[in-house]
Structures are given as C-alpha cells and as structure tokens.
Amino acid sequence: MNLELRHLKVVCAIAETGSVTKAASTLGLAQPALTAQLQRIERTLGGPLFERDRRGARPTALGELVLARARVLLPAMKGLQDEAARLAGTGTTMTRFRFGGVNSPILGGLVHRLAADQPHAQISTHASWSVDELAQMVLSGRLDFVLSGVCGDAVPSAEFGLTWRAVAVDAVFVLLPEAHPLAANAEVHLAALADERWAAAPGDGCFADCFVAACARAGFTPAKIYETDIRSCIDLVEAGEAIALAQATFRPVSGLVTRPLAHTPLRWRLLLGWHPDAPAADIADRVLGHAIAAYTDSLSRNPNYLAWLSRNPNFGAQDLAAA
C-alpha cells in the first residue's frame, strides 16, 4: 500500500482526539473500518504508531515522527490547493470559514450572519487566549480569520504577516456588584478603585501592561489580581471578593453593573485578522462587514453603553471603508 495524504489525516485525527473511537466519529467512519485502516498504515510504515489502552491512544516514537511530518505536509497541501484555486479564479467563494478567538462579544453574531449569507459553507471556531497562537494557525493554513483585541493604539505582532482591520473601538468599563458603594455613580474614577482587588482573564496581549500603566497615572499600583476564566471572574465579583474590567458590550448579569471609567483611561480595539495571500483575503471585506454588523447588533443588549456612545461618537463601530 502506498501512503497517501488521507492516511496522514487519519493519524492526525487519532492523535488529536486521543482515541480511535473519537477519531472515527470525527472522520465519519465506523470504528472497525478505521481500526483496519490504521493497521494497514502501520504495516506500511513498519511499526505501531500508537500505544492503545483503556485510557486512549498515545503516539509511539514512530507515531511522533509521522505526526511531525504530517503536520507540515497537510497544511502545505491545503495551502497549495487554495493558492491554485485563487490563481485559477475559483477561490472567491469559500466553502468553509474557520475563526479563532476568545472572549469576543461578536463571535456568535458573526457566525449567525455568515451562516445566513453563506448557507452551504462550513463554519468552525477555535478558542485560544494567545493571539500569537491564533496568528500562527492562520499562517499555517489551519484558520482563516482571527478575532482579537488590543488596547489603545497597539497592534498585534507583525511577525506572522497578517492584515488587521478594526471592527470597533470601545471604552473599557468596570464591573461591580450592585451593592458596591460606587455602583450608583454614572461613572467611576480609576483612582477611587485604588484599594480594590481585581479579577482578570488571561492573555498574551498588552492589556495587563496598559492597565498597570493607567493605574500608575491614577496614582496607585493595583492590589491583588486574580487571573482566571471569565465565569470565575464574574463569580468573584458576585461574591464581593473583587471587581473586574469589562468590555463595554458585556451582557448585563443580574446583581452586577458596568460603569464607565471617567475620562476613558483605557480603550479596547476589536480587530479582524487574516493572511493577505490566503483565499480568505478575497472575501475579507465581506466578513469584516458582517463583523461590524454583528457588533452593532450586540449593542442592543446594552442600552447604557448605547447612551454612552451617543455622547462619545469617536467610539463604537468603525466605518467599513476606514476600518
């Protein structure tokens, strides 16, 4: 038997799912058929690729070697096919859209709008706190678009060669319990929060540095910072153990309030990124338009922020032509 790309996809699927059963489900095959195919692949390569037991399937040394090569060859072949389609003039209609991002206020709305616009396309999402990881996945052909955010006028790393366009520019609000002494204020001065404990989600961007710098300008160093996931941040605020910075489009939660920081010491730019040489570039403006529309839709859930935007017109959705 000659080894083919489809065989490498089988090996990768087993490694990624950690189970022949799960890989069979992912690939749409019956488990016995996939097991038989794996055995033929192993005979061709001269040894077992996985150690299998009740805990799952783990690559052997030979399996690791095959996986290392497959993870280079498969994206390269996909890139060749996409590039050939683009040069042949048939790459303007994408049949799948793969988005990366995390904690985005518009991902659900973007998927909804794109699904209506492209009903036959496959749409998938991948979550990661690391913008660099997502950019690398775009560069290697594993993602088409990245939804990310940066503080102020910062830009993501240019190392991966992605094109970035702004979807929106938002003020950063503070999330407080309704019973907090400052919750009744229309806005909150950052200096008034000098003695508070903070909850924050992880990430590899510059926001933590921007926050610490804003606190320094307000005359203090932030006290304890709990770094945890979004749900746990909300739990900490609900328990009165911390307060948190929040995207202004944050969906209201019973018992909590968001308030703008006076004089807007922190800004958050929501960006859409793609590789300029990938097929996604041909339809990027259309996807960007859907992203901006999804952002505008999200504002309807937050009338307080809509009112704030009416008084601060430099914030909010960016014009598609100038984004």
Side-chain angles (χ1 to χ4, degrees), residues 17 113 117 120 252:
T17 61
R113 284 181 165 274
D117 183 41
H120 302 296

Side-chain angles (χ1 to χ4, degrees), residues 36-53:
Q37 191 171 66
L38 175 60
Q39 290 170 346
R40 290 194 297 271
I41 294 169
E42 289 178 329
R43 284 197 298 270
T44 299
L45 292 172
L49 301 182
F50 295 94
E51 294 178 356
R52 296 168 59 191
D53 55 32

Side-chain angles (χ1 to χ4, degrees), residues 100-110 131 146-156 163-172 207 247-249 267-274 287-288 290-296 298-299 301 305 315-319 322-323:
V102 74
N103 194 28
S104 170
I106 68 165
L107 182 59
L110 174 56
V131 179
V146 175
L147 278 169
S148 181
V150 294
C151 62
D153 296 319
V155 294
T163 296
W164 295 95
R165 300 276 293 278
V167 175
V169 179
D170 282 325
V172 175
F207 191 78
Q247 297 182 34
T249 51
R267 292 182 297 123
W268 186 249
R269 289 194 302 136
L270 180 61
L271 306 177
L272 180 71
W274 63 89
V287 175
L288 179 62
H290 285 312
I292 293 172
Y295 170 85
T296 302
S298 74
L299 297 177
R301 302 192 296 261
Y305 188 45
F315 290 84
Q318 298 298 285
D319 181 71

Side-chain angles (χ1 to χ4, degrees), residues 174-180 197-200 226 228 230-246 250 253 255-258:
V174 62
L175 182 67
L176 304 167
E178 283 183 343
H180 193 283
R197 296 182 298 270
W198 297 83
Y226 299 103
T228 184
I230 298 297
R231 180 64 253 180
S232 296
C233 286
I234 294 172
D235 289 343
L236 285 165
V237 177
E238 286 179 327
E241 289 299 317
I243 62 174
L245 296 174
F250 180 80
V253 174
L256 304 181
V257 298
T258 57

Side-chain angles (χ1 to χ4, degrees), residues 5-27:
L5 290 176
R6 62 188 177 92
H7 299 137
L8 297 180
K9 292 178 181 178
V10 165
V11 176
C12 287
I14 296 171
E16 288 166 5
T17 61
S19 159
V20 173
T21 301
K22 292 178 182 178
S25 177
T26 299
L27 296 170

